[in-house]
């Protein structure tokens, strides 16, 4: 890629603050993507450097190499941003860009390969080069807050899956009602009405549950 720097193995190891032997070990463990080959010379780029710095940051936070390798596998098998946004970019949600270590910090000890794979499957997370993109700042903040309250991230994600099914049904109900009675109506203009109904009903449902308990 024009303007992208490339490094020999020794130079990359020096920039990352590790030995060449450690770099070879990481490559053998599958923690690094393969370098570009030019004859017998292996060329590494800034993506490899960023990956090495991510590995160092995750190790400092107590992650094991086995765990990091599993995370890398789940991360690289997930959908990228282009694929997710191809399904329709959110019109009201703000995506958030995170490094893998920043994601690990938000969900201390909960960013397992299984949870990462679930979040990628749900479309909450996508990849963009060496970054992770969460598709909704609101959902990211709520998820992190629930985990801080002691709820496992796996349970939060499973609840999110169930909420999505209900949300899809509510959206279908609203769209069907509007199209049936006012086929020429601007659905996007009326979407705040649907959101207000759902928020009010959820608020009253929570009131009922709190009174029961």
């Amino acid at each position: 890629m024009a303007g992208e720097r490339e490094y020999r193995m020794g130079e990359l190891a020096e920039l990352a603050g590790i030995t060449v032997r450690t770099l070879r070990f990481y490559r053998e463990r599958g923690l690094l993507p393969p370098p570009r080959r030019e004859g017998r010379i292996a060329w590494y780029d800034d993506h490899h450097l960023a990956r090495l710095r991510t590995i160092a940051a995750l190790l400092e936070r107590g992650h094991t190499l086995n765990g990091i390798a599993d995370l890398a596998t789940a991360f690289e098998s997930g959908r990228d941003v282009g694929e997710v946004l191809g399904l329709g970019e959110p019109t009201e949600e703000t995506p958030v860009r995170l490094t893998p270590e920043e994601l690990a910090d938000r969900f201390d000890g909960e960013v397992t390969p299984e949870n990462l794979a679930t979040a990628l499957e749900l479309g909450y997370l996508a990849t963009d080069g060496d970054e992770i993109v969460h598709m909704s700042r609101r959902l990211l903040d709520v998820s992190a807050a629930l985990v801080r309250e002691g709820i496992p991230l796996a349970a939060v994600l499973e609840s999110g899956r169930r909420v999505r099914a209900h949300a899809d049904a509510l959206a279908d109900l609203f769209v069907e009602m509007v199209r049936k009675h006012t086929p020429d109506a601007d659905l996007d203009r009326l979407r705040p009405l649907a959101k207000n109904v759902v928020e009010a009903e959820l608020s009253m449902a929570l009131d009922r549950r709190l009174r029961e308990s």
Side-chain angles (χ1 to χ4, degrees), residues 35-186:
R36 182 179 72 84
R37 291 281 179 181
E38 190 174 278
R40 296 173 59 89
I41 301 175
W43 289 103
Y44 299 85
D45 58 27
D46 288 328
H47 292 291
H48 294 95
L49 180 58
R51 176 65 64 86
L52 289 172
R53 287 172 175 166
T54 292
I55 292 170
L58 291 175
L59 287 172
E60 287 179 3
R61 288 159 174 79
H63 292 261
T64 66
L65 282 177
N66 284 339
I68 294 172
D70 288 341
L71 287 174
T73 299
F75 179 72
E76 290 170 358
S77 64
R79 294 184 294 174
D80 62 25
V81 168
E83 184 181 353
V84 172
L85 293 185
L87 304 176
E89 186 169 359
T91 57
E92 296 185 328
E93 298 305 308
T94 303
V96 182
R97 289 182 173 271
L98 302 157
T99 62
E101 59 266 31
E102 287 171 341
L103 184 68
D105 280 346
R106 282 182 180 256
F107 300 96
D108 189 28
E110 292 284 322
V111 183
T112 64
E114 295 79 14
N115 287 338
L116 183 58
T118 299
L120 288 163
E121 175 199 344
L122 289 169
Y124 291 158
L125 297 181
T127 63
D128 188 14
D130 294 305
E131 288 186 313
I132 299 173
V133 179
H134 196 293
M135 306 312 292
S136 169
R137 179 179 294 279
R138 290 193 292 180
L139 287 178
L140 173 64
D141 291 344
V142 169
S143 299
L146 289 171
V147 169
R148 287 195 299 271
E149 292 293 330
I151 301 174
L153 181 56
V156 173
L157 291 170
E158 179 56 32
S159 295
R161 187 191 300 277
R162 295 173 62 186
V163 167
R164 174 171 295 181
H166 292 297
D168 283 341
L170 290 169
D172 288 341
L173 177 65
F174 177 74
V175 171
E176 181 182 350
M177 178 189 69
V178 172
R179 285 179 172 167
K180 177 179 179 180
H181 297 285
T182 55
D184 296 329
D186 182 352

